[in-house]
Amino acid sequence: MRRARIITSLAAAGLLALSACSSGSDSGKATGPAGVKPPKIEALKTVGTGEGQVNIVAWAGYVENGSNDPKVNWVSDFEKQTGCKVNSKVAGTSDEMVTLMKSGDYDVVSASGDASLRMIYGGVVAPVNTDLVPNYADVNDFLKLKTWNSVDGVAYGVPHGWGANVLAYRTDKVNPAPTSWSVVFDDASANAKHVTAYDSPIYIADAAVYLMAHKPELGIKNPYALDDKQLKAAVDLLKGQNKNIGEYWSDYTKAVQALKSGNTVVGTAWQVIVNLAQADKAPVDAVLPSEGSTGWSDTWMVAAKTKHPNCAYKWLNWIVSPEVNAQVAEWFGEAPANAKACEHTSDKGFCDTYHANDAAYASKIWYWTTPTAQCLDGRKNVTCKDYAAWTQAWTEIKG
C-alpha cells in the first residue's frame, strides 16, 4: 500500500448535517423517507463532444494529476483523450461537498452516502443514464442501485470505491484471534486502556451493529435507525467501553502508530491502517467480525445544472474504467467498484486484501448513513434519534 486513506474526517465531519434524507441499510432500493420523492430531473440522453472542461469536487486522492506524486496521474491522459480540462476542488467534509455543489460551479462530485442522499433529494444532482457510461456494466452488482446511490430503481451515480471498518488486533497480545466485536465491548476489560475506537458520533452505529446480534430483543433492524430505547442501549454499551479505551482516533497515522507501539492492541480500523502497520513488520492482523461492521461507499454523481454534461459523463466513464479504478483504489486505500479493476492493480494481491469482488463480504457492511428523525428502517409510528441527538450522546459517552 503506497498511500493511506487521506480523508480522516469522512464520518466525523462529513456527517454533520442533520437533515439528510435517506433510507434503509446496505441492501435493497432507496424509496425515500415517508414516500418523499426527489425533484423530477431528466438524465442526459446522449453524450456528444466535450465542452472543453469539467469542474470536479472530490475527496483528496481521487483526482490525481501528478502534482502530489509524478507517478500518480490519471488526469493527464483523460484530458488528452477527451479534450476536457480537469479543474478539481478537494472537499474536506461532506458538508463542504454539498455546499460546493449547490453553488452551481461544479459538474461532478465523488459523494459519500450521506452527502449523496442530501443532494438527490435536494435536487442538486441528476439521475445518471448508465447506458451512457459503458464501464458501468462492469461495476459489481452489489454496489448498484443501493440506498445511497439510487431512488426507486433509478441510478443517481456510478459506484467508485468502498470499504469496511474492520477489527484490528495485535497478534502477540490478543489470543485467541478475535472473531466478534465482543473483544471491544463486553470483554474489553481484558485489554483495558489498550482498546481503540473511531472518534465520531457515527461510531454509535458500531455499537448498534453489535447489539443487533447480541440483544435482538431491542428490535434494532438498522444501526442508523435508533429510537430512544435503542439509542440508550448503544450509549450504555459505549459508556462501559469508554473505561477501557486507550485512545479514540480520527487521524489514521496515529492509529497506525498506536498499533505499532502496542498502545493499541485491539479496536476499529481501516484495512489500510492494518496494511501500513504490517508493512513496518508490526504483528497486526484484522478481521470482519461475525456481527458484520459499518463502512463506506462513494459514488460519482453529476450536477443537476451542470454546464459541461458531456465532459462530466466522459469523466464518469473514465474514472470507473478498470485501469483507472485500479489506480485510484491502490492510491487511496479502498476496494475498487469495477470488477475488472483487479486485473490491473500493481499489487496482484490487492483485491484479495480488500475483498474487492466479494459480494458476501460486502453484504455484511452497513454503510455510513446520517441518522434522521424519520426512522430509516421503515417504522412509521416511531420517532428515531437524529444526528444531533447522536452528537449529544457522543459527548456524554466520552465524558
Side-chain angles (χ1 to χ4, degrees), residues 74 160 318-329 344:
W74 47 84
H160 172 79
W318 174 265
I319 199 65
V320 78
S321 64
E323 298 86 351
V324 177
N325 201 207
Q327 292 179 62
V328 182
H344 301 275

Side-chain angles (χ1 to χ4, degrees), residues 4-10 12 196-199 247-258 268 270 273 276:
R5 182 172 173 83
I6 305 168
I7 312 305
T8 61
S9 59
L10 184 58
T196 193
Y198 191 62
D199 191 2
E247 65 177 294
Y248 294 97
W249 68 272
S250 59
D251 182 335
Y252 79 88
T253 60
K254 292 182 179 179
V256 173
Q257 290 303 318
T268 304
W270 294 328
I273 292 171
L276 290 168

Side-chain angles (χ1 to χ4, degrees), residues 47-52 82 84 309-311 314:
V47 175
T49 303
E51 299 86 358
T82 65
C84 300
N310 295 313
C311 282
K314 290 176 185 293

